[in-house]
Amino acid sequence: MNNNAVVISGAGLWTPENTITNEELVDSYNQYAEKYNLDNAEAITAGSKTEKPLSSAGFIAKASGIKSRFAYRKEGILDINRMRPKLEERPIAELSHQAEMAVNAAKIALSEANKPASDIDAVIVSCAYTQRSYPAIAIEVQNELGIQGFGFDMLVACSAATFALQRAYEMVSAGTAKSVLVINPELTSPQVNYCDRDSHFIFGDVSTATVIERADTANSNHVYEILNTKAVTSYSNNIRSDFGYTSRVDDSDPFADDKLFHQKGRKVFKEVCPMAAEHISSQLESIGIAIGDVKRWWLHQANINMNQLIAKRLLGRDPSPDEAPIVLDRYANTASAGSLIAFNLHHKDLSSGDIGLICSFGAGYSIGSLVIKKH
């Protein structure tokens, strides 16, 4: 491998200790829905309000592949009088919740890379949501880890991780940074509408981190050369979240349903699957790698049916669990972190020369992918 090649030298996965099963979530939601329907019976009959439908744990698993999820804070989510997590507001002198998640994953990635924080000179925190506008979570993390250099946040919804890895690759290639720490602290639960049957089960909390550097400075046990990166966006409103500071001045409800995550799931499935398959196949073709030469596919973990359809379009057959590992059954959709969770849990068994592809897709629409080869 060329010493000037840009590589992934370490990956970290931090998982919260709290889990919520489909059964727990559905039991809570159904109690809430029944109470809502009873309390609003007259308005529902008059047509001014819509009856809340009931949910089913079995249906969730069949439709999405999700069986459970992790929660940074479980308290409040299952309380039918609250239906959202309860986070304490921390003093500004304390580490923020999201920075804490980021630091936890970062320390694991640095250990895997056999690299002290002092060797890092850029930090990118890239995720679907940040808990504040400024100062950047990345700068807070940089300070906590004692890193000299610079940091910034990126928001690219479910493609945030792969887009940030591409930025890191470009920075190291250009020499503007020697080594970059990319972190994806996906604190999604505050943006979940637990009162909506169609989306209350989708997301989970997690944090991943990745170290990017040049091959000549990498000394870890598992090093992957980045052969190619590709990103594309195409505007769509089919996945949306309108929470923002302008709610204060447009006099809208800052916590209304449209301010939380919402999507037109069937349209997303129909439109994104062929986009992702074409994106991947054209990327591989452009660098002369046959689809059959890819040993492992670390795909975005949003819906098992999407993953299977995309993989089948590429391979011409159903993928084996070894080829395209699924982690969303345990983790649910973790926004941009999904493909990185799959990478973290399923990469150390690969042999030198094996090729893999990391790909995410989501709101925007946005698709990001990296082709990598084990050193």
Side-chain angles (χ1 to χ4, degrees):
M1 181 168 54
N2 184 340
N3 283 338
N4 292 325
V6 181
V7 302
I8 293 173
S9 60
L13 167 64
W14 177 80
T15 302
E17 62 182 21
N18 304 304
T19 61
I20 302 176
T21 65
N22 283 355
E23 288 75 15
E24 289 178 287
L25 204 61
V26 165
D27 181 63
S28 171
Y29 168 79
N30 284 347
Q31 287 186 55
Y32 164 80
E34 289 171 348
K35 183 177 184 299
Y36 176 92
N37 292 339
L38 182 63
D39 292 345
N40 296 279
E42 289 186 10
I44 291 171
T45 301
S48 59
K49 289 190 176 182
T50 303
E51 182 179 33
K52 293 280 186 182
L54 298 185
S55 188
S56 161
F59 174 78
I60 291 171
K62 182 178 180 180
S64 68
I66 297 169
K67 297 179 181 178
S68 66
R69 71 281 299 141
F70 291 90
Y72 179 66
R73 291 286 189 274
K74 186 173 181 177
E75 181 186 0
I77 292 176
L78 304 178
D79 180 353
I80 66 170
N81 295 309
R82 183 177 176 84
M83 301 298 281
R84 62 189 188 277
K86 185 174 179 59
L87 277 181
E88 72 279 7
E89 185 176 11
R90 291 179 171 175
I92 60 173
E94 291 185 19
L95 198 63
S96 68
H97 293 288
Q98 202 164 26
E100 177 185 299
M101 294 175 66
V103 167
N104 289 339
K107 288 179 177 179
I108 299 170
L110 289 168
S111 176
E112 288 290 317
N114 290 323
K115 190 165 292 291
S118 58
D119 282 357
I120 302 294
D121 49 17
V123 178
I124 306 174
V125 165
S126 191
C127 45
Y129 309 100
T130 51
Q131 73 174 84
R132 64 169 183 267
S133 298
Y134 49 83
I137 303 295
I139 301 174
E140 184 182 10
V141 171
Q142 175 195 351
N143 178 70
E144 181 69 15
L145 293 175
I147 293 171
Q148 302 297 312
F150 64 95
F152 58 91
D153 294 346
M154 285 181 63
L155 298 177
V156 200
C158 287
S159 291
T162 52
F163 274 52
L165 288 173
Q166 183 169 345
R167 299 291 79 71
Y169 168 82
E170 291 169 345
M171 289 159 62
V172 174
S173 295
T176 56
K178 298 188 301 295
S179 56
V180 183
L181 178 60
V182 175
I183 320 174
N184 322 108
E186 289 293 6
L187 182 58
T188 63
S189 54
Q191 262 279 320
V192 175
N193 185 353
Y194 291 102
C195 300
D196 174 46
R197 184 196 63 173
D198 294 336
S199 64
H200 75 119
F201 60 89
I202 292 178
F203 289 100
D205 298 328
V206 79
S207 186
T208 55
T210 312
V211 176
I212 309 293
E213 60 181 314
R214 278 190 4 176
D216 60 355
T217 63
N219 65 348
S220 61
N221 294 326
H222 301 278
V223 176
Y224 292 84
E225 180 181 358
I226 300 175
L227 301 178
N228 187 262
T229 68
K230 184 179 180 181
V232 65
T233 54
S234 178
Y235 188 66
S236 169
N237 279 313
N238 289 332
I239 311 172
R240 196 171 176 96
S241 171
D242 288 331
F243 185 82
Y245 73 101
T246 56
S247 296
R248 178 174 180 265
V249 294
D250 64 21
D251 298 329
S252 63
D253 180 357
F255 307 114
D257 289 355
D258 68 301
K259 302 303 190 294
L260 305 176
F261 167 85
H262 55 286
Q263 68 171 348
K264 297 176 182 177
R266 291 184 179 180
K267 284 190 175 182
V268 171
F269 187 94
K270 183 178 180 180
E271 295 173 2
V272 170
C273 287
M275 283 180 60
E278 192 282 329
H279 175 98
I280 292 168
S281 61
S282 63
Q283 178 181 18
L284 291 171
E285 182 180 1
S286 71
I287 56 175
I289 294 177
I291 288 173
D293 291 336
V294 177
K295 176 77 171 181
R296 186 150 299 155
W297 307 85
W298 298 287
L299 298 178
H300 182 55
Q301 304 285 313
N303 181 292
I304 192 171
N305 299 307
M306 292 184 75
N307 283 31
Q308 290 176 337
L309 180 57
I310 291 168
K312 190 170 184 177
R313 280 176 176 259
L314 293 166
L315 300 172
R317 56 175 172 78
D318 291 329
S320 69
D322 181 67
E323 287 176 301
I326 297 294
V327 300
L328 63 85
D329 54 339
R330 291 178 54 216
Y331 283 86
N333 184 336
T334 50
S336 75
S339 57
L340 275 300
I341 297 172
F343 176 76
N344 270 270
L345 296 177
H346 300 280
H347 76 87
K348 292 184 177 180
D349 63 316
L350 294 184
S351 301
S352 178
D354 282 346
I355 294 172
L357 183 137
I358 301 170
C359 183
S360 63
F361 34 88
Y365 296 131
S366 57
I367 304 175
S369 54
L370 296 89
V371 182
I372 61 177
K373 181 171 71 174
K374 182 96 180 257
H375 176 52

